[in-house]
Amino acid sequence: MSRLADTWRRAGAAGLLDAALVALAWVAAFVFRFSLLRNNAPANILHIVAVTLPIAVLAWGAALVWFGIYRSAWRHASLPDVWRLARACAVAALALAAVLLVMRVPNFPRSIVLIHPLLAGGALLAVRLAQRQLAERSHRGAPGDARPLLLLGSVDDAAPALQSLRATRLWRAVAVYSPLQAEAGERLQDLPVLGPPRALGEVARAFGAQHALVAGSAGSATRRLLLEQASGARLALLTLPRADDWLQQGAGSTVPRNLELADLLGRAAVQLDVRGLSDLLAGQCVLVTGAGGSIGSELCRQIARFGVGRLVCLDMSEFAIYQLEQELRARHPDMPAVFLTANVRDATRLRVLFERQRPAVVFHAAAYKHVPLMEQDNAIEALRTNVLGTVNAARAAALCGARRFVLVSTDKAVNPTNVMGASKRLAERALQVLAHEHAGTRMVAVRFGNVLGSSGSVVPRFAQQIAAGGPVTVTHPDIVRYFMTIPEAAQLVLQAALMGDSGDIYVLDMGEPVRIVELARLMIRLSGRDEDEIPVVFTGLRPGEKLFEELLADDETTLPTPHPKLRVARHGDVEGPRVDLDALQRRIAIGGAEEPEAAAVKDLLASLVPEYRPQLAPEGNA
């Protein structure tokens, strides 16, 4: 109640001030008309002013109230607020002119209705701009309290960042450094805009800045270039929180935070078909295999947002499923959820669980994905989990009446040179066989590259090596990979569940590939070190590892989908031999007469995956 009363008091005070300004402007208009222009005033001038002044105040006050001027927070005024004030002034002037015309005041000078709006409108705008200026100065803090901050980015990128910085007193923007040479010499909200050929380090020293805020879209070439220059200038790099940080952490998350690798390599936010996903998931039972892994757990987080009737999380790791249970129950205490431990290689266990839970949608993320580990002694395990696990999960989904089944695949399935990639390609082909056998369940696969921060990826390993003081080990100076963030990958997997025909393989837009050595150097720079302190050492490619991964095989083309970041892969005429799933299951079943050696596994894969080319020696090594 006190807050409402305070609001009314502020509006009342603003109204009284505006009335005084309008009245003064009305008197000033007469003074200007008859004194400054040296025209003789009529004998009844005082009577004219006395009669018309209250009418002017009332007309202008009514227009300002009608246009909601007193509902605007002018300490945060923007251009739309100024235009609304201008419209209110125009309507007030026209209404006042009409009233005076009807009144027919004797000897009333008609030029007053033109002079007064200019004076009154200018006064009203000046007061509001002064209010905003005072608010900005109060937010900037004293020079001794706020640390100087350099903004890195073009003028268009820096402007919204500068607006966000006004919410904190911890930082004081001192200049903008733009990578666009044409912008150097401009000013942005009274800040100088500098840029090439002047060095970034020189600019930072001139303004006493040890921190820089990187503005602009994540993953852009401009942002990467600026980051490299900033690391050479020994600047600590910051960025503004993402929108999801604001939603989860509240207003305090507007404070700039340290730049992370995902901010550099990530792309613009994925635009989900929220209505379509709500129709697919809301109120339904959704099951995720491999739910304790990087992609699986993020899928569970994303699915929980759509109001599912029940979320079933399945993983073979007791610890991983326990951690996920604790997180989801804390975030979504009212969401019905079931947490199961099971191995996807156990077909009987899966059929029982699927029949008991009866999911409408299944996301199959369970897999072995570490290339060198699966290449020799564990090769048979890759087939049993990645291929038989997929067959078991897809069959169980079809038998329990699931409407959708989505396999999470990988770019390593394209022209594979390792057991892991070949096993995922065989899983894709097995899924296409099952899609024909079970027409009632739409089965699709989604193929993408490396995911930043996922278990087994290079990013956590590089972070550990940097924390230990180095060196950072990279297999080859020319090795490149596609990268995306975990949330982006999970969201696009969800999106693919809405699309296409059963048996389709979707390819995600992975952006531009990244050289792993550059990734290592960026992480070293983000840690505040340089390569003199943390050296990069090349160790040679590991077994089964390629210099680059393709997203499409040579005999494939892609077709567009309604989503700009998803394309569907279409195979050529040569599909290879049909996969006999029952024979395959008998051949690699657990507990068989003998355990196949790695060579036998590779021969089997070569017979079922024509594009598989096992490496005799790691590619690219001397």
Coordinates of all heavy atoms in Angstrom, one line a residue, residues 267 409-416 425 428 445-451 480-484 492 505-513 546 548-558 565-571 611:
R267 N 26.5 -20.2 -30.4 CA 25.9 -19.4 -31.4 C 24.6 -18.7 -30.8 O 24.4 -18.8 -29.7 CB 25.4 -20.3 -32.6 CG 26.5 -20.4 -33.7 CD 27.6 -21.5 -33.3 NE 27.1 -22.7 -32.9 CZ 26.7 -23.7 -33.8 NH1 26.8 -23.4 -35.1 NH2 26.3 -24.9 -33.5
S409 N 22.8 -39.5 -32.4 CA 23.9 -40.0 -33.2 C 25.1 -39.0 -33.2 O 25.0 -38.0 -32.5 CB 23.5 -40.4 -34.6 OG 24.6 -41.2 -35.2
T410 N 26.0 -39.2 -34.1 CA 27.3 -38.4 -34.1 C 27.8 -38.2 -35.5 O 27.5 -39.0 -36.4 CB 28.3 -39.1 -33.2 OG1 29.6 -38.4 -33.3 CG2 28.5 -40.5 -33.6
D411 N 28.6 -37.1 -35.6 CA 29.2 -36.9 -36.9 C 30.3 -37.9 -37.2 O 30.7 -38.1 -38.3 CB 29.9 -35.5 -37.0 CG 30.9 -35.2 -35.9 OD1 31.1 -36.0 -35.0 OD2 31.5 -34.1 -36.0
K412 N 30.8 -38.7 -36.2 CA 31.8 -39.7 -36.4 C 31.2 -40.9 -37.1 O 31.9 -41.8 -37.4 CB 32.4 -40.1 -35.0 CG 33.2 -39.0 -34.4 CD 33.7 -39.3 -33.0 CE 34.5 -38.2 -32.4 NZ 33.8 -36.9 -32.3
A413 N 29.8 -40.9 -37.2 CA 29.2 -42.0 -38.0 C 29.4 -41.8 -39.5 O 29.0 -42.7 -40.3 CB 27.7 -42.1 -37.6
V414 N 29.9 -40.7 -39.9 CA 30.0 -40.4 -41.4 C 31.4 -40.8 -41.8 O 32.4 -40.4 -41.3 CB 29.8 -38.9 -41.6 CG1 29.9 -38.6 -43.1 CG2 28.5 -38.4 -41.0
N415 N 31.4 -41.7 -42.8 CA 32.7 -42.2 -43.3 C 33.6 -42.6 -42.2 O 34.7 -42.2 -42.1 CB 33.4 -41.2 -44.2 CG 32.6 -40.9 -45.5 OD1 32.0 -41.8 -46.0 ND2 32.7 -39.7 -46.0
P416 N 33.1 -43.5 -41.3 CA 33.9 -43.8 -40.0 C 35.2 -44.4 -40.3 O 35.4 -45.3 -41.2 CB 32.9 -44.7 -39.3 CG 32.1 -45.3 -40.3 CD 31.9 -44.3 -41.4
R425 N 27.0 -45.6 -36.8 CA 26.5 -45.7 -38.2 C 25.6 -46.9 -38.3 O 24.6 -46.9 -38.9 CB 27.6 -45.6 -39.2 CG 27.1 -45.8 -40.7 CD 26.3 -44.6 -41.1 NE 25.7 -44.8 -42.4 CZ 24.4 -44.8 -42.6 NH1 23.5 -44.7 -41.7 NH2 23.9 -45.0 -43.9
E428 N 22.4 -46.3 -36.7 CA 21.5 -45.6 -37.6 C 20.8 -46.5 -38.6 O 19.6 -46.4 -38.9 CB 22.3 -44.5 -38.4 CG 22.8 -43.4 -37.5 CD 23.6 -42.3 -38.3 OE1 23.9 -42.6 -39.5 OE2 24.0 -41.3 -37.7
A445 N 16.9 -40.3 -36.3 CA 18.2 -40.1 -35.7 C 18.7 -38.7 -35.9 O 18.3 -38.1 -36.9 CB 19.2 -41.1 -36.3
V446 N 19.4 -38.2 -35.0 CA 19.9 -36.8 -35.0 C 21.5 -36.9 -34.9 O 22.0 -37.5 -33.9 CB 19.4 -35.9 -33.9 CG1 19.8 -34.5 -34.1 CG2 17.8 -36.0 -33.9
R447 N 22.1 -36.3 -35.8 CA 23.6 -36.4 -35.9 C 24.2 -35.0 -35.7 O 23.9 -34.1 -36.3 CB 24.0 -36.9 -37.3 CG 25.4 -37.3 -37.5 CD 25.6 -37.6 -39.0 NE 25.1 -38.9 -39.4 CZ 24.9 -39.3 -40.7 NH1 25.2 -38.5 -41.6 NH2 24.4 -40.5 -40.9
F448 N 25.1 -34.9 -34.7 CA 25.8 -33.7 -34.4 C 27.3 -34.0 -34.0 O 27.6 -35.1 -33.7 CB 25.1 -32.8 -33.5 CG 24.8 -33.4 -32.1 CD1 25.7 -33.4 -31.1 CD2 23.5 -33.9 -31.9 CE1 25.4 -34.0 -29.9 CE2 23.2 -34.4 -30.7 CZ 24.1 -34.5 -29.7
G449 N 28.0 -32.9 -33.8 CA 29.5 -33.0 -33.5 C 29.7 -32.9 -32.1 O 28.9 -33.3 -31.2
N450 N 30.9 -32.4 -31.7 CA 31.4 -32.4 -30.3 C 30.6 -31.3 -29.5 O 30.2 -30.3 -30.1 CB 32.9 -32.0 -30.3 CG 33.7 -33.1 -31.0 OD1 34.1 -34.1 -30.3 ND2 34.0 -32.9 -32.2
V451 N 30.4 -31.6 -28.3 CA 29.6 -30.8 -27.4 C 30.5 -30.2 -26.3 O 31.2 -31.0 -25.6 CB 28.4 -31.5 -26.8 CG1 27.6 -30.6 -25.8 CG2 27.5 -32.1 -27.9
V480 N 40.7 -30.5 -36.6 CA 39.6 -29.6 -36.5 C 38.3 -30.4 -36.1 O 38.2 -31.6 -36.4 CB 39.3 -28.8 -37.8 CG1 40.4 -27.9 -38.1 CG2 38.9 -29.7 -38.9
R481 N 37.4 -29.7 -35.4 CA 36.2 -30.4 -34.9 C 35.1 -29.3 -35.0 O 35.3 -28.1 -34.8 CB 36.3 -30.9 -33.5 CG 37.2 -32.2 -33.4 CD 36.6 -33.4 -34.1 NE 37.4 -34.6 -33.9 CZ 38.3 -35.0 -34.8 NH1 38.6 -34.2 -35.9 NH2 39.0 -36.1 -34.6
Y482 N 33.8 -29.8 -35.1 CA 32.6 -29.0 -35.0 C 32.3 -29.0 -33.5 O 32.4 -30.0 -32.8 CB 31.5 -29.5 -35.8 CG 31.6 -29.4 -37.3 CD1 32.2 -30.5 -38.0 CD2 31.3 -28.3 -38.0 CE1 32.3 -30.4 -39.4 CE2 31.4 -28.2 -39.3 CZ 32.0 -29.2 -40.0 OH 32.1 -29.2 -41.4
F483 N 31.8 -27.8 -33.0 CA 31.4 -27.7 -31.6 C 30.1 -27.0 -31.5 O 29.7 -26.2 -32.3 CB 32.5 -26.9 -30.8 CG 33.7 -27.6 -30.4 CD1 34.8 -27.5 -31.2 CD2 33.7 -28.5 -29.3 CE1 36.0 -28.2 -30.9 CE2 34.8 -29.2 -29.0 CZ 36.0 -29.1 -29.8
M484 N 29.3 -27.4 -30.4 CA 28.1 -26.7 -30.1 C 28.0 -26.9 -28.5 O 28.6 -27.7 -27.9 CB 26.9 -27.3 -30.8 CG 26.5 -28.7 -30.4 SD 25.3 -29.4 -31.5 CE 24.4 -28.0 -32.1
L492 N 18.0 -28.9 -30.1 CA 17.8 -29.3 -31.5 C 17.4 -30.8 -31.6 O 16.7 -31.2 -32.5 CB 19.1 -29.1 -32.3 CG 19.4 -27.6 -32.6 CD1 20.7 -27.4 -33.2 CD2 18.3 -27.0 -33.5
I505 N 17.4 -39.3 -41.0 CA 18.6 -38.9 -40.2 C 18.7 -37.4 -40.4 O 18.9 -36.8 -41.5 CB 19.8 -39.6 -40.7 CG1 19.7 -41.1 -40.6 CG2 21.1 -39.1 -40.0 CD1 20.8 -41.9 -41.2
Y506 N 18.7 -36.7 -39.2 CA 18.8 -35.2 -39.2 C 20.3 -34.8 -38.9 O 21.0 -35.4 -38.2 CB 17.9 -34.6 -38.2 CG 16.5 -34.7 -38.6 CD1 15.6 -35.7 -38.2 CD2 15.9 -33.8 -39.5 CE1 14.3 -35.8 -38.6 CE2 14.6 -33.9 -39.9 CZ 13.8 -34.9 -39.5 OH 12.5 -35.0 -39.9
V507 N 20.7 -33.8 -39.6 CA 22.0 -33.2 -39.5 C 21.9 -31.8 -38.9 O 21.1 -31.0 -39.4 CB 22.7 -33.1 -40.8 CG1 24.1 -32.6 -40.6 CG2 22.8 -34.5 -41.4
L508 N 22.6 -31.5 -37.8 CA 22.5 -30.2 -37.2 C 23.5 -29.2 -37.8 O 24.6 -29.6 -38.2 CB 22.8 -30.3 -35.7 CG 21.9 -31.3 -34.9 CD1 22.2 -31.1 -33.4 CD2 20.4 -31.1 -35.2
D509 N 23.1 -28.0 -37.9 CA 24.0 -26.9 -38.4 C 25.0 -26.7 -37.3 O 24.7 -26.1 -36.2 CB 23.2 -25.7 -38.7 CG 24.1 -24.5 -38.9 OD1 25.3 -24.7 -39.2 OD2 23.6 -23.3 -38.9
M510 N 26.2 -27.1 -37.5 CA 27.3 -27.0 -36.5 C 28.1 -25.7 -36.7 O 29.1 -25.5 -35.9 CB 28.2 -28.2 -36.6 CG 27.5 -29.5 -36.3 SD 26.9 -29.6 -34.6 CE 28.5 -29.5 -33.7
G511 N 27.8 -24.9 -37.6 CA 28.6 -23.7 -37.8 C 29.9 -24.0 -38.4 O 30.0 -24.9 -39.2
E512 N 30.9 -23.2 -38.1 CA 32.2 -23.3 -38.6 C 33.1 -24.3 -37.7 O 33.0 -24.2 -36.5 CB 32.9 -22.0 -38.7 CG 32.3 -21.0 -39.7 CD 32.3 -21.6 -41.1 OE1 33.3 -22.2 -41.5 OE2 31.3 -21.4 -41.8
P513 N 33.9 -25.2 -38.4 CA 34.8 -26.0 -37.5 C 35.8 -25.2 -36.8 O 36.2 -24.1 -37.3 CB 35.3 -27.0 -38.6 CG 35.3 -26.3 -39.9 CD 34.0 -25.4 -39.8
K546 N 40.5 -39.0 -36.7 CA 40.6 -38.3 -38.0 C 41.0 -36.9 -37.8 O 40.7 -36.3 -36.7 CB 39.3 -38.4 -38.8 CG 39.0 -39.8 -39.3 CD 37.9 -39.8 -40.3 CE 36.6 -39.3 -39.8 NZ 35.5 -39.4 -40.9
F548 N 39.6 -34.4 -39.4 CA 38.4 -33.7 -39.5 C 37.2 -34.7 -39.6 O 37.4 -35.8 -40.0 CB 38.3 -32.7 -40.6 CG 38.4 -33.4 -42.0 CD1 37.2 -33.6 -42.7 CD2 39.6 -33.7 -42.6 CE1 37.2 -34.3 -43.9 CE2 39.6 -34.3 -43.8 CZ 38.4 -34.6 -44.5
E549 N 36.1 -34.2 -39.1 CA 34.8 -35.0 -39.1 C 33.9 -34.4 -40.1 O 33.7 -33.2 -40.2 CB 34.2 -35.1 -37.7 CG 35.1 -35.6 -36.6 CD 35.4 -37.0 -36.7 OE1 34.8 -37.7 -37.6 OE2 36.2 -37.5 -35.9
E550 N 33.2 -35.2 -40.9 CA 32.2 -34.7 -41.8 C 30.8 -34.9 -41.1 O 30.7 -35.7 -40.3 CB 32.2 -35.5 -43.1 CG 33.5 -35.6 -43.8 CD 34.2 -37.0 -43.6 OE1 34.2 -37.5 -42.4 OE2 34.8 -37.5 -44.5
L551 N 29.9 -34.1 -41.6 CA 28.5 -34.3 -41.1 C 27.7 -35.1 -42.1 O 26.7 -35.6 -41.7 CB 27.9 -32.9 -40.9 CG 28.4 -32.1 -39.7 CD1 27.8 -30.7 -39.6 CD2 28.2 -32.8 -38.4
L552 N 28.2 -35.2 -43.3 CA 27.4 -36.0 -44.3 C 28.4 -36.9 -45.0 O 29.5 -36.6 -45.3 CB 26.8 -35.1 -45.4 CG 25.6 -34.2 -44.9 CD1 25.2 -33.3 -46.0 CD2 24.5 -35.1 -44.5
A553 N 27.9 -38.1 -45.3 CA 28.7 -39.1 -46.1 C 28.8 -38.6 -47.5 O 28.0 -37.8 -48.0 CB 28.2 -40.5 -46.0
D554 N 29.7 -39.2 -48.3 CA 29.9 -38.8 -49.7 C 28.7 -39.1 -50.5 O 28.4 -38.3 -51.5 CB 31.1 -39.6 -50.3 CG 32.4 -39.1 -49.6 OD1 32.4 -38.0 -49.0 OD2 33.4 -39.9 -49.6
D555 N 27.9 -40.1 -50.2 CA 26.7 -40.4 -51.1 C 25.5 -39.8 -50.5 O 24.4 -40.3 -50.9 CB 26.6 -42.0 -51.2 CG 26.3 -42.6 -49.8 OD1 26.6 -42.0 -48.8 OD2 25.7 -43.7 -49.8
E556 N 25.6 -38.8 -49.7 CA 24.4 -38.2 -49.1 C 24.3 -36.8 -49.6 O 25.2 -36.1 -50.0 CB 24.5 -38.2 -47.6 CG 24.4 -39.5 -47.0 CD 24.6 -39.4 -45.5 OE1 25.5 -38.7 -45.0 OE2 23.8 -40.1 -44.7
T557 N 23.0 -36.3 -49.7 CA 22.7 -34.9 -49.9 C 21.8 -34.5 -48.7 O 21.3 -35.4 -48.0 CB 22.0 -34.7 -51.2 OG1 20.9 -35.5 -51.3 CG2 23.0 -35.0 -52.4
T558 N 21.5 -33.3 -48.6 CA 20.6 -32.9 -47.5 C 19.5 -32.0 -48.1 O 19.6 -31.4 -49.2 CB 21.3 -32.0 -46.5 OG1 21.8 -30.8 -47.1 CG2 22.4 -32.7 -45.8
K565 N 18.2 -24.6 -38.5 CA 19.5 -25.3 -38.0 C 19.4 -26.8 -38.2 O 20.2 -27.6 -37.7 CB 19.7 -25.0 -36.6 CG 20.2 -23.5 -36.4 CD 20.7 -23.3 -35.0 CE 21.3 -21.9 -34.8 NZ 21.9 -21.7 -33.5
L566 N 18.3 -27.3 -38.8 CA 18.2 -28.8 -39.1 C 18.0 -29.1 -40.5 O 17.2 -28.4 -41.2 CB 17.0 -29.3 -38.3 CG 17.1 -29.5 -36.8 CD1 15.8 -29.8 -36.2 CD2 18.1 -30.7 -36.5
R567 N 18.8 -30.0 -41.1 CA 18.6 -30.5 -42.4 C 18.4 -32.0 -42.3 O 19.0 -32.7 -41.4 CB 19.7 -30.1 -43.3 CG 19.9 -28.6 -43.5 CD 21.0 -28.3 -44.5 NE 20.7 -28.7 -45.8 CZ 20.0 -28.0 -46.7 NH1 19.5 -26.8 -46.4 NH2 19.9 -28.4 -47.9
V568 N 17.7 -32.6 -43.3 CA 17.5 -34.1 -43.3 C 18.4 -34.7 -44.4 O 18.6 -34.2 -45.5 CB 16.0 -34.4 -43.6 CG1 15.6 -33.9 -44.9 CG2 15.8 -35.9 -43.4
A569 N 19.1 -35.7 -44.0 CA 20.1 -36.4 -44.9 C 19.3 -37.4 -45.7 O 18.5 -38.2 -45.2 CB 21.2 -37.1 -44.1
R570 N 19.6 -37.4 -47.0 CA 19.1 -38.4 -47.9 C 20.2 -39.2 -48.5 O 21.1 -38.7 -49.1 CB 18.3 -37.7 -49.1 CG 17.1 -36.9 -48.6 CD 16.0 -37.9 -48.1 NE 14.8 -37.1 -47.8 CZ 13.7 -37.7 -47.2 NH1 13.8 -38.9 -46.7 NH2 12.6 -37.0 -47.0
H571 N 20.1 -40.5 -48.5 CA 21.1 -41.4 -49.0 C 21.0 -41.6 -50.5 O 19.9 -41.5 -51.0 CB 21.1 -42.8 -48.3 CG 21.6 -42.7 -46.9 ND1 22.8 -43.0 -46.5 CD2 20.9 -42.4 -45.7 CE1 23.0 -42.9 -45.2 NE2 21.8 -42.5 -44.7
E611 N 31.0 -47.9 -45.8 CA 31.8 -46.7 -45.8 C 32.9 -46.8 -44.7 O 33.7 -45.9 -44.6 CB 31.0 -45.5 -45.7 CG 30.1 -45.4 -44.5 CD 28.7 -45.9 -44.6 OE1 28.6 -46.9 -45.3 OE2 27.8 -45.3 -44.1

